[in-house]
């Protein structure tokens, strides 16, 4: 089927670390050819994530210098420029490489964006499409056939593109923290992509989520399944959580904010509670009183992306309708700068999705 695929395509190229000027919309990017074991998809939708912004800005720092311009991987950088970003990709297979069943042509697939680099469940050498290789902010994308998954759902392509990165990240956080049915989890940054995913994923596990969200997002949080909402920045956080929980102990904190909230979040946790994080939108460098950690027997977990098993659970949740899409806005690829500007303003709930022109 390669004869029906054009030689060039439109795409957004990340040309270096910096501001929005480093994102270049181009109409003459070569269409990739699927290598052996790969498929080529015609992209129909791609969700936007914080990682897109932070990689562009080089905002990940290093272990020696938190303010250093650096990309996502702590060990062994795989980012080269120009790079097509975009992880949450949905599309239709239009060509296959050697060794892939041609009957797969025409399938609608959701992309597992992870580059695992290992055969086991370890994420020690994890990478992702949109960083270590090109992603979905383009008309076409080549990827390993095993990462292209058919999902049995009647959701639209745009709706399906809201799940992968945010929900996979959230599921991994809850899996690492061993959140169980009947337990209570406090979710910070709950109106964002990952936070709103965690609220739903907690319910899917039979747990009780309490959301911490910015003013104006309270009703939306309750609508997607939060038991109660604490409005961020209004009053004492500890007192707010105690009132929202009705005195119920907080078993797990799923934190996406960090910054000045960090120490209060450890205080809020019950003895032997578990803290898990995959983001730090209010600041990555925090103060930790080790006495709080060891006297309360706390567990602290860092988490990023997810395993193959996490992805399979995510697909099952979608197919069983235990989680639902939250589309915060739809933008054509040619308006990518506007999409990312709106994304950084955070005046939405859920995910922004980019579609080809």
């Amino acid at each position: 089927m390669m004869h029906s695929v054009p030689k060039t395509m439109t795409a957004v190229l990340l040309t270096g670390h910096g501001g929005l000027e480093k994102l270049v919309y181009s109409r003459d990017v070569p269409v990739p050819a699927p290598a052996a074991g790969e498929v080529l998809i015609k992209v129909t939708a791609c969700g936007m994530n914080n990682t897109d912004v932070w990689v562009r800005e080089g905002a990940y720092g290093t272990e020696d210098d938190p303010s250093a311009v650096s990309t996502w991987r702590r060990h062994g950088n795989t980012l080269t420029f120009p790079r097509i970003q975009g992880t949450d990709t949905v599309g239709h297979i239009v060509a296959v490489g050697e060794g892939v069943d041609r009957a797969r042509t025409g399938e609608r697939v959701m992309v597992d964006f992870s580059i695992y680099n290992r055969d086991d469940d370890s994420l020690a050498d994890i990478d992702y499409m949109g960083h270590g290789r090109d992603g979905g902010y383009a008309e076409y994308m080549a990827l390993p056939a095993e990462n292209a998954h058919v999902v049995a759902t009647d959701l639209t392509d745009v709706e399906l593109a809201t799940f992968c990165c945010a929900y996979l990240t959230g599921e991994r956080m809850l899996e690492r923290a061993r959140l169980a049915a009947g337990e209570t989890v406090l979710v910070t940054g709950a109106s964002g992509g990952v936070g709103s995913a965690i609220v739903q994923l907690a319910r899917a596990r039979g747990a009780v989520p309490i959301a911490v969200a910015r003013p104006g997002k309270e009703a939306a949080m309750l609508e997607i399944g939060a038991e109660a909402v604490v409005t961020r920045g209004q009053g004492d956080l500890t007192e707010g959580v105690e009132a929202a929980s009705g005195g119920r102990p907080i078993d797990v904190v799923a934190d996406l904010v960090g910054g000045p909230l960090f120490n209060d979040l450890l205080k809020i946790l019950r003895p032997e509670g578990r803290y898990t994080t995959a983001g730090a939108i209010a600041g990555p460098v925090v103060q930790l009183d080790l006495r709080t950690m060891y006297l309360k027997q706390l567990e602290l977990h860092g988490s990023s992306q997810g395993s193959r098993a996490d992805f399979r659970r995510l697909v099952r949740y979608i197919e069983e309708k235990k989680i639902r899409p939250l589309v915060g806005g739809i933008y054509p690829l040619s308006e990518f700068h506007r999409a990312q500007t709106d994304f950084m303003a955070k005046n939405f709930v859920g995910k922004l999705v980019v579609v080809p022109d």
Side-chain angles (χ1 to χ4, degrees):
M1 296 291 293
M2 279 297 294
H3 65 275
S4 64
V5 176
K7 293 183 178 180
T8 60
M9 64 181 181
T10 57
V12 174
L13 304 175
L14 177 65
T15 59
H17 294 305
L20 289 174
E21 76 281 355
K22 296 297 184 180
L23 295 167
V24 177
Y25 177 77
S26 176
R27 295 182 180 275
D28 59 356
V29 177
V31 172
E38 294 187 347
V39 296
L40 179 72
I41 65 170
K42 182 174 176 57
V43 176
T44 53
C46 188
M48 186 169 287
N49 293 283
N50 284 321
T51 307
D52 300 328
V53 178
W54 294 337
V55 166
R56 168 174 59 77
E57 295 175 342
Y60 284 96
T62 66
E63 291 177 346
D64 296 322
D65 181 3
S67 64
V69 175
S70 179
T71 189
W72 182 81
R73 276 171 60 100
R74 274 288 193 250
H75 303 288
N77 179 34
T78 58
L79 177 66
T80 58
F81 303 113
R83 172 65 74 220
I84 300 172
Q85 294 181 289
T87 59
D88 290 15
T89 312
V90 173
H92 299 259
I93 296 176
V94 294
V96 301
E98 182 181 350
V100 180
D101 188 349
R102 292 188 178 277
R104 295 206 60 182
T105 303
E107 289 181 352
R108 184 182 77 153
V109 295
M110 180 173 76
V111 174
D112 177 359
F113 63 97
S114 295
I115 303 172
Y116 294 102
N117 289 321
R118 298 172 63 128
D119 294 329
D120 59 18
D121 288 333
S122 171
L123 301 183
D125 195 29
I126 196 76
D127 200 352
Y128 71 89
M129 301 174 200
H131 184 276
R133 62 181 290 165
D134 286 338
Y137 292 141
E139 289 185 289
Y140 294 90
M141 176 184 174
L143 65 142
E146 64 185 7
N147 289 70
H149 295 263
V150 175
V151 182
T153 177
D154 57 2
L155 294 175
T156 67
D157 294 359
V158 166
E159 290 171 331
L160 198 55
T162 63
F163 287 114
C164 194
C165 184
Y167 285 72
L168 185 65
T169 298
E171 179 64 14
R172 182 63 176 178
M173 290 172 69
L174 299 184
E175 185 71 6
R176 291 211 66 188
R178 305 184 309 282
L179 181 69
E183 289 192 316
T184 301
V185 54
L186 183 69
V187 185
T188 69
S191 64
V194 179
S196 58
I198 292 173
V199 170
Q200 294 190 63
L201 292 165
R203 286 295 188 190
R205 287 171 173 254
V208 179
I210 296 175
V212 180
R214 62 173 59 187
K217 302 297 177 66
E218 296 89 349
M221 295 297 92
L222 294 171
E223 201 273 330
I224 65 171
E227 184 77 6
V229 183
V230 179
T231 305
R232 183 180 170 191
Q234 294 187 4
D236 181 80
L237 179 65
T238 304
E239 293 176 358
V241 172
E242 185 173 0
S245 67
R248 183 188 301 114
I250 303 300
D251 303 285
V252 173
V253 165
D255 182 25
L256 302 161
V257 175
L261 291 184
F262 178 76
N263 195 50
D264 283 343
L265 295 174
L266 297 193
K267 288 164 53 181
I268 287 166
L269 271 172
R270 68 164 173 81
E272 296 187 338
R274 290 96 71 194
Y275 169 95
T276 179
T277 183
I281 59 177
V285 180
V286 300
Q287 287 189 323
L288 168 62
D289 187 335
L290 288 171
R291 294 167 296 186
T292 300
M293 180 178 169
Y294 68 73
L295 291 175
K296 291 180 70 175
Q297 314 275 349
L298 300 180
E299 295 180 27
L300 274 64
H301 295 276
S303 185
S304 183
Q305 289 182 228
S307 68
R308 296 176 180 89
D310 297 326
F311 186 88
R312 288 193 295 270
R313 274 196 309 279
L314 174 59
V315 170
R316 188 176 75 245
Y317 288 152
I318 295 170
E319 293 180 338
E320 295 175 353
K321 299 183 179 181
K322 290 185 175 180
I323 55 178
R324 62 186 180 87
L326 297 171
V327 180
I330 305 171
Y331 298 77
L333 194 63
S334 57
E335 296 184 20
F336 194 87
H337 280 198
R338 182 170 69 88
Q340 198 151 99
T341 298
D342 290 351
F343 179 87
M344 292 186 290
K346 301 297 181 185
N347 294 321
F348 60 93
V349 173
K351 295 291 290 290
L352 301 187
V353 179
V354 177
V355 298
D357 297 321

